[in-house]
Amino acid sequence: MKVTFRIRRFNPEKDSKPWWGEYTLDNVDPIDRVLELLHRVKWEQDGTLTLRRSCAHGVCGSDAMRINGVNRLACKMLVKTLGAGDHIKVQVEPILGLPVIKDLVVDMEPFFDHYRAVMPYFMPKEHVPADGRERLQSPADRERFDDTTKCILCACCTTSCPSFWANGKYVGPAAIVQAHRFIFDTRDGAAAQRLNILAEPDGVWRCRTIFNCTPACPREIEVTRAIGEVKLAIQRGV
Amino acid sequence: MATIVTTVTEVLRYRGKIGQWSWVFHRVSGLGIVLFVCLHVVDTSWAAFYPDLYKQAIAEYQSPLFTIGEFFLVAAVVYHAINGYRIIVLDRRPHLWHLQQRAAVLVFVVVGIILIPVFVLMFGHVLDYYDTDPEFVSIAEIAETQAQFAIGFVVIVGAALILSFLQAIINGENISDPIPGMRRASQLDIWFWKFMRVSGLLILPLVFGHLAMMHVIMGVFDITAAGGDVIGTDLVNQSGSAVEFVGDRWNFLVAGVAVWRLYDGALLGLIVLHGFYGLRLVVNDYAHNRVVNRALNWAIVFGAAGLILVGSAALFAGVENTAEALLQNIVARS
Ligand code: HEM
Ligand code: SF4
Ligand code: SF4
Ligand code: FES
């Protein structure tokens, strides 16, 4: 089958504004993934096409982009899911709300700043565990935050959120998901501090429950639910 | 401000699910209602302070342009209320998020089911009125009155901008600075987050009651029907003047209590606080410049305070004297 790509291009050294490039590939296998096909465009047609990827298996979270209008990991999208027939059209553009460095590569630093703001690391209740060896936790307590441990920080959620588009200071769903993972961990001792940070004006209150983030998450994390739980925890405690 | 354009174009381009549209409709309907409430509180206060202006305002409400607006207004309130209820329920029960899609569709369905009979009744009033071959206020006159409101808005926002600009100069701020991000956690945000939900629940029956009385059971046209019943009272609008209608309602006592004044007062306070805080949420999304953001926030505070002041002054003053004077006028003339 054939695939025609329409790709949003921007090279700050040459272009005054972004433009759309069209590239048609033959001999495409329906179960090829968008990432492989973007590689083919780069290798066979235009070596200047710039994108970011690392693992190519949905683990590292580096190839988030907007594919046919929704945020996806290019490495997880089978091309056959993007259309029917033997000539499929695919539109690819960078995720929105972070500065574009070149073509599909955005500057993730502001995103990671928000991530760091919620103190996304374990802060133990006591320095030495009770038995001096292990911090034990019941399966039920572990289950409480299981969903939010799956986040790979790809930014699909944050850059799908109209509140984030409107105001890049909004801490964003990904950072809240990461905070949730520690706030509801019985072994962690800094829930109150994190809730305090998320109660700031640019914290959870900017979420208007629009629900773009949840279907965007390639890890199928219940993002808006996690945000809702954090909102309630700010009001009632964990 | 630039992000307003981004948000509008990208909401159209991003293929979000229905929740994105729920948000668009909720925000647009909320803003539309706020705009109308500003006009409506001011012109209702004229019933107490400038009876002639009030009659003119009601005459304009009866013109075709406003009749179209009235249908949009009712649709906006019904959608905003039902969708607001959905937001409140899901906020309390985050684990029900898998039902969100269906809930958003259900909201549209319920709104449709409510609006069909409501629109049929409202349209009936329109037809009845048009059968009487009424004379309408001209578009030019309407434009003239509404232009005053527009000028009022511009003056308030302009004054706030100038004051904020002056403050920036006095404090030696750089006027192109963005608002400082990530300020410390404030109880205000938490309090108002809860308030938006609690007030929404309280407004729901009040505003539905108000719309039912003034737009559905009775039409805007019946406010000026001589010899017509005054809804919510056992009185009759003898003169057929809009001012007498308001006076009858405000002076109607149940066990010595002016129930409709209390009702209108509660509606006024809750709607203005809810609506203007909502306005603040929207402003803080899109106005990032420190000077502009501060100015708009002030305009919101003064606007809300002003409306509550004007509205309650009218409720306290009442319209008894003017209504009586009117009646005597008519008796004298006939
Ligand atoms: C009828 C009952 C009503 C209910 C149940 C209701 C509910 C709500 C809720 C829950 C929110 C918060 C949304 C969020 O934080 O994401 C909200 C926002 C808002 N409401 Fe209402 N509301 C009602 C009536 C009104 C009225 C009468 C007005 C106008 C005066 C109004 C204007 C607004 C505005 C401007 C917003 C902000 C919209 C936004 O942030 O996108 N609401 N409403
Ligand atoms: S649910 Fe909240 S965080 Fe997610 S897209 Fe909507 S507003 Fe953004
Ligand atoms: S929550 Fe999901 S979409 Fe958001 S950064 Fe984590 S993995 Fe990506
Ligand atoms: S390349 Fe690592 S997640 Fe796609």
PDB file of all heavy atoms in Angstrom, chain A residues 61 64 73 111 148 150-158 173-175 177-178 213-214 216-223, ligand 3:
ATOM      1  N   GLY A  61       9.458   7.246  25.764  1.00  0.00           N
ATOM      2  CA  GLY A  61       8.620   8.447  25.740  1.00  0.00           C
ATOM      3  C   GLY A  61       9.212   9.611  24.974  1.00  0.00           C
ATOM      4  O   GLY A  61       8.869  10.759  25.225  1.00  0.00           O
ATOM      5  N   ALA A  64       6.759  11.578  21.096  1.00  0.00           N
ATOM      6  CA  ALA A  64       5.383  12.073  21.081  1.00  0.00           C
ATOM      7  C   ALA A  64       5.223  13.074  19.953  1.00  0.00           C
ATOM      8  O   ALA A  64       6.083  13.916  19.746  1.00  0.00           O
ATOM      9  CB  ALA A  64       5.048  12.737  22.413  1.00  0.00           C
ATOM     10  N   LEU A  73       2.407   8.343  20.366  1.00  0.00           N
ATOM     11  CA  LEU A  73       3.802   7.964  20.176  1.00  0.00           C
ATOM     12  C   LEU A  73       3.911   7.374  18.773  1.00  0.00           C
ATOM     13  O   LEU A  73       3.201   6.419  18.446  1.00  0.00           O
ATOM     14  CB  LEU A  73       4.220   6.904  21.199  1.00  0.00           C
ATOM     15  CG  LEU A  73       4.268   7.337  22.663  1.00  0.00           C
ATOM     16  CD1 LEU A  73       4.695   6.156  23.539  1.00  0.00           C
ATOM     17  CD2 LEU A  73       5.218   8.505  22.849  1.00  0.00           C
ATOM     18  N   PHE A 111       8.603  21.440  30.210  1.00  0.00           N
ATOM     19  CA  PHE A 111       7.826  20.291  30.673  1.00  0.00           C
ATOM     20  C   PHE A 111       8.530  19.626  31.867  1.00  0.00           C
ATOM     21  O   PHE A 111       7.909  19.330  32.892  1.00  0.00           O
ATOM     22  CB  PHE A 111       7.658  19.319  29.507  1.00  0.00           C
ATOM     23  CG  PHE A 111       7.001  18.015  29.840  1.00  0.00           C
ATOM     24  CD1 PHE A 111       5.619  17.934  29.958  1.00  0.00           C
ATOM     25  CD2 PHE A 111       7.759  16.866  30.026  1.00  0.00           C
ATOM     26  CE1 PHE A 111       5.010  16.720  30.256  1.00  0.00           C
ATOM     27  CE2 PHE A 111       7.152  15.654  30.325  1.00  0.00           C
ATOM     28  CZ  PHE A 111       5.783  15.574  30.445  1.00  0.00           C
ATOM     29  N   THR A 148      -0.503   5.218  38.209  1.00  0.00           N
ATOM     30  CA  THR A 148       0.350   6.375  37.902  1.00  0.00           C
ATOM     31  C   THR A 148       1.845   6.037  37.909  1.00  0.00           C
ATOM     32  O   THR A 148       2.668   6.894  37.600  1.00  0.00           O
ATOM     33  CB  THR A 148       0.064   7.540  38.869  1.00  0.00           C
ATOM     34  OG1 THR A 148      -0.032   7.040  40.204  1.00  0.00           O
ATOM     35  CG2 THR A 148      -1.230   8.239  38.502  1.00  0.00           C
ATOM     36  N   LYS A 150       3.002   4.085  35.804  1.00  0.00           N
ATOM     37  CA  LYS A 150       3.287   3.667  34.431  1.00  0.00           C
ATOM     38  C   LYS A 150       3.750   4.805  33.528  1.00  0.00           C
ATOM     39  O   LYS A 150       4.096   4.582  32.367  1.00  0.00           O
ATOM     40  CB  LYS A 150       2.023   3.045  33.814  1.00  0.00           C
ATOM     41  CG  LYS A 150       1.533   1.815  34.564  1.00  0.00           C
ATOM     42  CD  LYS A 150       0.360   1.128  33.866  1.00  0.00           C
ATOM     43  CE  LYS A 150      -0.834   2.009  33.681  1.00  0.00           C
ATOM     44  NZ  LYS A 150      -2.065   1.314  33.290  1.00  0.00           N
ATOM     45  N   CYS A 151       3.730   6.032  34.043  1.00  0.00           N
ATOM     46  CA  CYS A 151       4.013   7.201  33.197  1.00  0.00           C
ATOM     47  C   CYS A 151       5.452   7.190  32.684  1.00  0.00           C
ATOM     48  O   CYS A 151       6.391   6.930  33.415  1.00  0.00           O
ATOM     49  CB  CYS A 151       3.758   8.474  33.990  1.00  0.00           C
ATOM     50  SG  CYS A 151       4.251   9.958  33.115  1.00  0.00           S
ATOM     51  N   ILE A 152       5.597   7.488  31.372  1.00  0.00           N
ATOM     52  CA  ILE A 152       6.923   7.538  30.760  1.00  0.00           C
ATOM     53  C   ILE A 152       7.318   8.960  30.364  1.00  0.00           C
ATOM     54  O   ILE A 152       8.247   9.169  29.588  1.00  0.00           O
ATOM     55  CB  ILE A 152       6.998   6.613  29.518  1.00  0.00           C
ATOM     56  CG1 ILE A 152       5.901   6.989  28.512  1.00  0.00           C
ATOM     57  CG2 ILE A 152       6.902   5.147  29.929  1.00  0.00           C
ATOM     58  CD1 ILE A 152       5.986   6.223  27.199  1.00  0.00           C
ATOM     59  N   LEU A 153       6.581   9.946  30.873  1.00  0.00           N
ATOM     60  CA  LEU A 153       6.926  11.355  30.650  1.00  0.00           C
ATOM     61  C   LEU A 153       7.069  11.711  29.171  1.00  0.00           C
ATOM     62  O   LEU A 153       8.021  12.383  28.768  1.00  0.00           O
ATOM     63  CB  LEU A 153       8.232  11.690  31.395  1.00  0.00           C
ATOM     64  CG  LEU A 153       8.063  11.769  32.904  1.00  0.00           C
ATOM     65  CD1 LEU A 153       9.423  11.839  33.581  1.00  0.00           C
ATOM     66  CD2 LEU A 153       7.228  12.974  33.286  1.00  0.00           C
ATOM     67  N   CYS A 154       6.103  11.273  28.379  1.00  0.00           N
ATOM     68  CA  CYS A 154       6.168  11.555  26.954  1.00  0.00           C
ATOM     69  C   CYS A 154       5.577  12.910  26.602  1.00  0.00           C
ATOM     70  O   CYS A 154       5.798  13.435  25.517  1.00  0.00           O
ATOM     71  CB  CYS A 154       5.435  10.475  26.181  1.00  0.00           C
ATOM     72  SG  CYS A 154       3.672  10.440  26.548  1.00  0.00           S
ATOM     73  N   ALA A 155       4.754  13.481  27.510  1.00  0.00           N
ATOM     74  CA  ALA A 155       4.114  14.792  27.321  1.00  0.00           C
ATOM     75  C   ALA A 155       2.920  14.762  26.370  1.00  0.00           C
ATOM     76  O   ALA A 155       2.384  15.812  26.024  1.00  0.00           O
ATOM     77  CB  ALA A 155       5.103  15.858  26.873  1.00  0.00           C
ATOM     78  N   CYS A 156       2.486  13.575  25.957  1.00  0.00           N
ATOM     79  CA  CYS A 156       1.270  13.509  25.123  1.00  0.00           C
ATOM     80  C   CYS A 156       0.094  14.173  25.831  1.00  0.00           C
ATOM     81  O   CYS A 156      -0.698  14.882  25.214  1.00  0.00           O
ATOM     82  CB  CYS A 156       0.890  12.054  24.837  1.00  0.00           C
ATOM     83  SG  CYS A 156       1.764  11.349  23.440  1.00  0.00           S
ATOM     84  N   CYS A 157      -0.025  13.927  27.140  1.00  0.00           N
ATOM     85  CA  CYS A 157      -1.186  14.446  27.865  1.00  0.00           C
ATOM     86  C   CYS A 157      -1.106  15.958  28.002  1.00  0.00           C
ATOM     87  O   CYS A 157      -2.027  16.684  27.617  1.00  0.00           O
ATOM     88  CB  CYS A 157      -1.281  13.792  29.245  1.00  0.00           C
ATOM     89  SG  CYS A 157       0.230  13.915  30.232  1.00  0.00           S
ATOM     90  N   THR A 158       0.011  16.438  28.552  1.00  0.00           N
ATOM     91  CA  THR A 158       0.126  17.875  28.833  1.00  0.00           C
ATOM     92  C   THR A 158      -0.070  18.709  27.574  1.00  0.00           C
ATOM     93  O   THR A 158      -0.738  19.742  27.595  1.00  0.00           O
ATOM     94  CB  THR A 158       1.498  18.160  29.479  1.00  0.00           C
ATOM     95  OG1 THR A 158       1.554  17.456  30.718  1.00  0.00           O
ATOM     96  CG2 THR A 158       1.705  19.640  29.727  1.00  0.00           C
ATOM     97  N   PRO A 173      -1.029  17.888  33.291  1.00  0.00           N
ATOM     98  CA  PRO A 173      -1.422  16.556  33.747  1.00  0.00           C
ATOM     99  C   PRO A 173      -0.235  15.633  34.064  1.00  0.00           C
ATOM    100  O   PRO A 173      -0.289  14.899  35.053  1.00  0.00           O
ATOM    101  CB  PRO A 173      -2.268  16.004  32.595  1.00  0.00           C
ATOM    102  CG  PRO A 173      -2.141  16.960  31.471  1.00  0.00           C
ATOM    103  CD  PRO A 173      -1.708  18.272  32.035  1.00  0.00           C
ATOM    104  N   ALA A 174       0.837  15.663  33.264  1.00  0.00           N
ATOM    105  CA  ALA A 174       1.928  14.706  33.507  1.00  0.00           C
ATOM    106  C   ALA A 174       2.540  14.915  34.888  1.00  0.00           C
ATOM    107  O   ALA A 174       2.767  13.953  35.642  1.00  0.00           O
ATOM    108  CB  ALA A 174       2.996  14.836  32.426  1.00  0.00           C
ATOM    109  N   ALA A 175       2.780  16.175  35.249  1.00  0.00           N
ATOM    110  CA  ALA A 175       3.385  16.449  36.554  1.00  0.00           C
ATOM    111  C   ALA A 175       2.430  16.035  37.672  1.00  0.00           C
ATOM    112  O   ALA A 175       2.877  15.555  38.726  1.00  0.00           O
ATOM    113  CB  ALA A 175       3.736  17.932  36.665  1.00  0.00           C
ATOM    114  N   VAL A 177       0.205  13.590  37.488  1.00  0.00           N
ATOM    115  CA  VAL A 177       0.269  12.124  37.521  1.00  0.00           C
ATOM    116  C   VAL A 177       1.499  11.679  38.319  1.00  0.00           C
ATOM    117  O   VAL A 177       1.421  10.792  39.180  1.00  0.00           O
ATOM    118  CB  VAL A 177       0.323  11.560  36.079  1.00  0.00           C
ATOM    119  CG1 VAL A 177       0.838  10.131  36.068  1.00  0.00           C
ATOM    120  CG2 VAL A 177      -1.061  11.625  35.436  1.00  0.00           C
ATOM    121  N   GLN A 178       2.628  12.303  38.055  1.00  0.00           N
ATOM    122  CA  GLN A 178       3.863  11.947  38.762  1.00  0.00           C
ATOM    123  C   GLN A 178       3.753  12.245  40.255  1.00  0.00           C
ATOM    124  O   GLN A 178       4.243  11.477  41.088  1.00  0.00           O
ATOM    125  CB  GLN A 178       5.046  12.717  38.160  1.00  0.00           C
ATOM    126  CG  GLN A 178       5.429  12.249  36.773  1.00  0.00           C
ATOM    127  CD  GLN A 178       6.137  10.894  36.797  1.00  0.00           C
ATOM    128  OE1 GLN A 178       6.660  10.467  37.826  1.00  0.00           O
ATOM    129  NE2 GLN A 178       6.155  10.225  35.656  1.00  0.00           N
ATOM    130  N   CYS A 213      -6.570  14.785  27.905  1.00  0.00           N
ATOM    131  CA  CYS A 213      -5.331  14.118  28.315  1.00  0.00           C
ATOM    132  C   CYS A 213      -5.505  12.603  28.398  1.00  0.00           C
ATOM    133  O   CYS A 213      -4.619  11.855  27.982  1.00  0.00           O
ATOM    134  CB  CYS A 213      -4.849  14.683  29.642  1.00  0.00           C
ATOM    135  SG  CYS A 213      -6.090  14.670  30.948  1.00  0.00           S
ATOM    136  N   THR A 214      -6.617  12.159  28.954  1.00  0.00           N
ATOM    137  CA  THR A 214      -6.759  10.728  29.209  1.00  0.00           C
ATOM    138  C   THR A 214      -6.684   9.889  27.929  1.00  0.00           C
ATOM    139  O   THR A 214      -5.887   8.948  27.862  1.00  0.00           O
ATOM    140  CB  THR A 214      -8.051  10.447  29.998  1.00  0.00           C
ATOM    141  OG1 THR A 214      -8.022  11.244  31.182  1.00  0.00           O
ATOM    142  CG2 THR A 214      -8.170   8.986  30.371  1.00  0.00           C
ATOM    143  N   ALA A 216      -5.235  10.636  25.297  1.00  0.00           N
ATOM    144  CA  ALA A 216      -3.947  10.859  24.631  1.00  0.00           C
ATOM    145  C   ALA A 216      -2.846   9.986  25.227  1.00  0.00           C
ATOM    146  O   ALA A 216      -1.821   9.763  24.590  1.00  0.00           O
ATOM    147  CB  ALA A 216      -3.542  12.331  24.730  1.00  0.00           C
ATOM    148  N   CYS A 217      -3.051   9.481  26.430  1.00  0.00           N
ATOM    149  CA  CYS A 217      -1.952   8.798  27.119  1.00  0.00           C
ATOM    150  C   CYS A 217      -1.667   7.432  26.489  1.00  0.00           C
ATOM    151  O   CYS A 217      -2.527   6.557  26.472  1.00  0.00           O
ATOM    152  CB  CYS A 217      -2.270   8.614  28.596  1.00  0.00           C
ATOM    153  SG  CYS A 217      -0.959   7.732  29.463  1.00  0.00           S
ATOM    154  N   PRO A 218      -0.438   7.222  25.982  1.00  0.00           N
ATOM    155  CA  PRO A 218      -0.112   5.947  25.341  1.00  0.00           C
ATOM    156  C   PRO A 218       0.000   4.808  26.353  1.00  0.00           C
ATOM    157  O   PRO A 218       0.026   3.644  25.961  1.00  0.00           O
ATOM    158  CB  PRO A 218       1.243   6.227  24.686  1.00  0.00           C
ATOM    159  CG  PRO A 218       1.841   7.309  25.496  1.00  0.00           C
ATOM    160  CD  PRO A 218       0.694   8.153  25.982  1.00  0.00           C
ATOM    161  N   ARG A 219       0.057   5.135  27.629  1.00  0.00           N
ATOM    162  CA  ARG A 219       0.150   4.113  28.662  1.00  0.00           C
ATOM    163  C   ARG A 219      -1.220   3.836  29.280  1.00  0.00           C
ATOM    164  O   ARG A 219      -1.305   3.139  30.283  1.00  0.00           O
ATOM    165  CB  ARG A 219       1.132   4.561  29.750  1.00  0.00           C
ATOM    166  CG  ARG A 219       2.488   4.967  29.213  1.00  0.00           C
ATOM    167  CD  ARG A 219       3.349   3.795  28.862  1.00  0.00           C
ATOM    168  NE  ARG A 219       3.621   2.982  30.041  1.00  0.00           N
ATOM    169  CZ  ARG A 219       4.023   1.716  30.026  1.00  0.00           C
ATOM    170  NH1 ARG A 219       4.182   1.108  28.860  1.00  0.00           N
ATOM    171  NH2 ARG A 219       4.266   1.070  31.138  1.00  0.00           N
ATOM    172  N   GLU A 220      -2.242   4.424  28.722  1.00  0.00           N
ATOM    173  CA  GLU A 220      -3.605   4.241  29.200  1.00  0.00           C
ATOM    174  C   GLU A 220      -3.770   4.521  30.684  1.00  0.00           C
ATOM    175  O   GLU A 220      -4.509   3.834  31.395  1.00  0.00           O
ATOM    176  CB  GLU A 220      -4.117   2.848  28.830  1.00  0.00           C
ATOM    177  CG  GLU A 220      -4.432   2.793  27.346  1.00  0.00           C
ATOM    178  CD  GLU A 220      -4.614   1.381  26.814  1.00  0.00           C
ATOM    179  OE1 GLU A 220      -4.730   0.452  27.612  1.00  0.00           O
ATOM    180  OE2 GLU A 220      -4.653   1.244  25.573  1.00  0.00           O
ATOM    181  N   ILE A 221      -3.064   5.527  31.130  1.00  0.00           N
ATOM    182  CA  ILE A 221      -3.230   5.964  32.525  1.00  0.00           C
ATOM    183  C   ILE A 221      -4.519   6.765  32.617  1.00  0.00           C
ATOM    184  O   ILE A 221      -4.857   7.530  31.713  1.00  0.00           O
ATOM    185  CB  ILE A 221      -2.025   6.833  32.947  1.00  0.00           C
ATOM    186  CG1 ILE A 221      -0.747   5.984  32.920  1.00  0.00           C
ATOM    187  CG2 ILE A 221      -2.237   7.442  34.329  1.00  0.00           C
ATOM    188  CD1 ILE A 221       0.525   6.778  33.088  1.00  0.00           C
ATOM    189  N   GLU A 222      -5.254   6.566  33.733  1.00  0.00           N
ATOM    190  CA  GLU A 222      -6.498   7.343  33.910  1.00  0.00           C
ATOM    191  C   GLU A 222      -6.115   8.715  34.451  1.00  0.00           C
ATOM    192  O   GLU A 222      -6.234   9.005  35.640  1.00  0.00           O
ATOM    193  CB  GLU A 222      -7.435   6.598  34.856  1.00  0.00           C
ATOM    194  CG  GLU A 222      -7.911   5.285  34.262  1.00  0.00           C
ATOM    195  CD  GLU A 222      -8.702   4.444  35.253  1.00  0.00           C
ATOM    196  OE1 GLU A 222      -8.979   4.908  36.377  1.00  0.00           O
ATOM    197  OE2 GLU A 222      -9.032   3.305  34.889  1.00  0.00           O
ATOM    198  N   VAL A 223      -5.656   9.568  33.515  1.00  0.00           N
ATOM    199  CA  VAL A 223      -5.013  10.824  33.915  1.00  0.00           C
ATOM    200  C   VAL A 223      -5.981  11.742  34.672  1.00  0.00           C
ATOM    201  O   VAL A 223      -5.681  12.225  35.760  1.00  0.00           O
ATOM    202  CB  VAL A 223      -4.445  11.551  32.678  1.00  0.00           C
ATOM    203  CG1 VAL A 223      -3.759  12.829  33.095  1.00  0.00           C
ATOM    204  CG2 VAL A 223      -3.482  10.644  31.925  1.00  0.00           C
TER     205      VAL A 223
HETATM  206  S1  SF4 C   3       0.646  10.417  31.847  1.00  0.00           S
HETATM  207 FE1  SF4 C   3       0.693   9.249  29.946  1.00  0.00          FE
HETATM  208  S2  SF4 C   3       0.631  10.823  28.359  1.00  0.00           S
HETATM  209 FE2  SF4 C   3       1.195  11.839  30.231  1.00  0.00          FE
HETATM  210  S3  SF4 C   3       3.412  11.915  30.198  1.00  0.00           S
HETATM  211 FE3  SF4 C   3       2.791  10.093  31.356  1.00  0.00          FE
HETATM  212  S4  SF4 C   3       2.759   8.464  29.853  1.00  0.00           S
HETATM  213 FE4  SF4 C   3       2.792  10.359  28.716  1.00  0.00          FE
END
